[in-house]
Amino acid sequence: MRALLVTSAGVTCAMALTLPLATSATAAPAPDLHSASSRPPSTSPASPGAGPPAVRAGAAEPAGSTQSLPLAPLAASSDRVAGAPAAQGLPQRDARPFSLVGVVWDDPEAELHGTVQVRTRTTGTTRWSEWQDIETHDAEHAADLGSAEREGRTVRGATAPLWVGDSDGVEVRVRPRSPEASDHHEHAEPSDHHGSAQPQDRAAAPVPLPEGLRLELVDPGEDPAPEAARSAPTGRAAVTPAVFADTPPTAAVLPEALTAEAAAASAVNAELAELGATAIPALTQKETLESVNAAPGAKPYIGPRPKIITRKGWGADEKLRERNFAYTKTVKAAFVHHSATGNNYTCKQAPSVLRSIYRYHVKSSGWRDFGYNFAVDKCGNIYEGRAGGVSKAVLGAHTLGFNTNTMGIAVLGSYGSTNPPAAAVTAVSKLTAWKLGLFGANPKGKVTLVSGGSNKYKAGVKVSMNVISGHRDGFATECPGARLYKKLGTARTSSAKLQGR
């Protein structure tokens, strides 16, 4: 089957044009990944590392920026193996404010066999963090091999992104690892705490690092600021702003004027919420079933629709993504992930984390859009991920080899040795009960999927999986972390119960 693309160029209402994937060459070109690096950081003592304020691209979307800095060889350490490739990195330096970091390289097929560590300085202070580990194996979160998204763009290899909070100074080191150490640590469970790297294995020469290593520093920009209530201009209706689980409700506000791109991203949810809505409201079981055009006498198993914070609600800059929406035929299964961005965030910061990951996926890694279909934070808030409509079969880039006819849910955080919050697991149950139910899938059932090619299953192999699976079920990876993976049985049971099974 062929995935479908829907263009959003010039869309200002709920109309879309369906195009075959073969026409994707007409999509907007990949943006310049390194334009932000041309502006040097400020050395003003009044604001360490702060450059000129970012210019807003449009009134309806928050600004943000990416600084891309090439890494250089570091001085040889005393434990370096003779003749081995040098470690690379950057010494301590100032930077414009950023909140998320990651490392990218030229060849998306190349793997980084080594350790990546970073230290950051809290903005406006002289306080540096301890060394923090960055998860190096992130290739499994990607578009399928041979897909238009992978082949038709300048895609890069990348580590997982790491949320570090508001910072204006950075130091990074990337150390190659010996073959023996690589075999031992390749799929070791990523830790949730940060400290010194594992000692180097001196018995063999390390594997060379990938070419073109760069440090990406991502500033998510400001959160969308609610406007004060006022009389609505002609033709513009008031909508309810997004309210997060740990945030007191605010007064009703009016939406900002939407750009064409933002209107298009909102219009695909027109049957669920008003144009420009920051959240899709929750429905009861009865209301959900009434909203579905089921055959007379049929008993669809669909869970109550949960509240979903839209891309507008978390402040996605719709000009970053490719203008087209990509669809697959159906949704047979859900893959659960952890974002591996660390647990050092508050739920109020979750929209900033999402904007940072989004910018890292598009500007740094070269993807068409945010990779996951949905995201869930530690408080149980559910967020729309990749654009195209939350009730539709949107083609994501989350589980290499199994993006077709599936959806990906990322729980924000790292859950290798930390238990996921109950609220997050409950949110996964609610979301899957509704979304899988729309496509007739039983959360406690099994499904046969055809691999598009991964390090676990060759292309064309038919694989039987749980309808709600972990990322590791389709790819040799520790994602979604051992602790979250152990909770998937609970999620399946709860999800099926919410469907009325």
Side-chain angles (χ1 to χ4, degrees):
M1 53 111 9
R2 292 188 301 174
L4 296 180
L5 289 177
V6 176
T7 181
S8 62
V11 176
T12 55
C13 61
M15 298 178 64
L17 180 64
T18 303
L19 299 172
L21 187 57
T23 64
S24 61
T26 62
D32 179 4
L33 302 188
H34 306 126
S35 59
S37 64
S38 61
R39 297 190 299 272
S42 169
T43 57
S44 168
S47 181
V55 178
R56 287 183 178 272
E61 295 160 356
S65 66
T66 299
Q67 301 168 70
S68 188
L69 309 174
L71 302 190
L74 297 176
S77 60
S78 59
D79 62 350
R80 179 184 169 191
V81 177
Q88 295 188 38
L90 290 174
Q92 288 187 7
R93 58 166 291 162
D94 292 343
R96 295 190 308 279
F98 63 93
S99 296
L100 180 139
V101 302
V103 171
V104 300
W105 53 92
D106 294 341
D107 184 1
E109 306 300 329
E111 291 192 40
L112 196 164
H113 297 280
T115 59
V116 179
Q117 294 185 304
V118 66
R119 295 178 64 204
T120 55
R121 183 183 63 204
T122 304
T123 296
T125 74
T126 59
R127 185 172 65 254
W128 286 83
S129 71
E130 299 295 326
W131 284 106
Q132 302 185 72
D133 298 319
I134 296 179
E135 172 56 45
T136 58
H137 298 286
D138 201 48
E140 62 268 26
H141 302 82
D144 289 341
L145 299 173
S147 66
E149 178 168 2
R150 194 178 184 93
E151 304 299 332
R153 305 174 63 87
T154 304
V155 181
R156 289 170 170 79
T159 67
L162 177 68
W163 176 260
V164 294
D166 196 8
S167 306
D168 64 5
V170 68
E171 179 179 7
V172 64
R173 60 192 184 195
V174 182
R175 292 172 170 171
R177 182 178 284 150
S178 70
E180 286 81 0
S182 294
D183 291 341
H184 180 71
H185 295 292
E186 191 78 8
H187 302 297
E189 186 70 44
S191 63
D192 297 337
H193 62 279
H194 307 293
S196 61
Q198 295 290 337
Q200 292 288 320
D201 187 331
R202 306 186 192 187
V207 178
L209 295 172
E211 296 290 332
L213 290 171
R214 303 182 72 92
L215 176 66
E216 304 289 290
L217 306 177
V218 181
D219 171 19
E222 298 296 325
D223 286 329
E227 296 177 341
R230 61 173 183 264
S231 299
T234 303
R236 196 166 81 175
V239 298
T240 304
V243 178
F244 303 96
D246 66 342
T247 305
T250 57
V253 297
L254 299 175
E256 297 176 289
L258 299 177
T259 63
E261 296 86 356
S266 181
V268 288
N269 291 317
E271 295 181 357
L272 310 180
E274 296 180 9
L275 189 67
T278 56
I280 295 169
L283 297 180
T284 64
Q285 179 93 31
K286 180 181 178 181
E287 291 170 336
T288 300
L289 294 177
E290 289 174 348
S291 69
V292 177
N293 295 322
K299 183 184 178 182
Y301 292 98
I302 305 174
R305 187 179 76 199
K307 176 183 173 182
I308 302 172
I309 297 167
T310 65
R311 290 169 64 92
K312 170 74 168 143
W314 55 264
D317 181 350
E318 299 297 350
K319 292 182 179 179
L320 289 182
R321 63 172 173 81
E322 189 173 292
R323 65 177 183 174
N324 298 316
F325 304 132
Y327 297 98
T328 185
K329 184 181 293 185
T330 186
V331 179
K332 295 181 177 180
F335 283 99
V336 178
H337 306 253
H338 67 173
S339 63
T341 46
N343 302 316
N344 190 28
Y345 75 94
T346 66
C347 295
K348 187 176 181 181
Q349 291 175 320
S352 293
V353 176
L354 289 172
R355 291 196 303 277
S356 298
I357 296 174
Y358 172 41
R359 179 172 280 273
Y360 185 74
H361 282 177
V362 177
K363 298 285 281 183
S364 301
S365 301
W367 299 359
R368 66 180 302 132
D369 193 357
F370 189 82
Y372 308 103
N373 298 102
F374 296 93
V376 172
D377 69 23
K378 62 176 68 175
C379 291
N381 295 303
I382 300 172
Y383 302 85
E384 177 183 17
R386 179 162 289 207
V390 297
S391 64
K392 305 180 188 301
V394 178
L395 180 66
H398 50 83
T399 307
L400 180 63
F402 294 97
N403 291 307
T404 299
N405 296 334
T406 68
M407 69 177 189
I409 304 168
V411 180
L412 298 182
S414 302
Y415 299 105
S417 58
T418 298
N419 288 326
V425 178
T426 298
V428 170
S429 300
K430 291 180 177 179
L431 175 58
T432 53
W434 172 69
K435 183 63 181 280
L436 291 174
L438 294 178
F439 293 87
N442 180 353
K444 292 186 70 175
K446 296 280 188 178
V447 64
T448 298
L449 300 174
V450 179
S451 173
S454 73
N455 68 353
K456 192 169 184 176
Y457 299 105
K458 294 181 179 179
V461 173
K462 294 182 179 180
V463 185
S464 177
M465 292 187 184
N466 290 310
V467 169
I468 297 180
S469 286
H471 187 184
R472 63 174 64 181
D473 294 318
F475 196 99
T477 175
E478 292 302 327
C479 182
R483 299 293 183 90
L484 178 54
Y485 188 76
K486 289 179 180 178
K487 295 293 184 180
L488 295 188
T490 299
R492 295 181 193 111
T493 301
S494 299
S495 183
K497 186 176 181 180
L498 287 167
Q499 285 189 349
R501 297 182 185 271

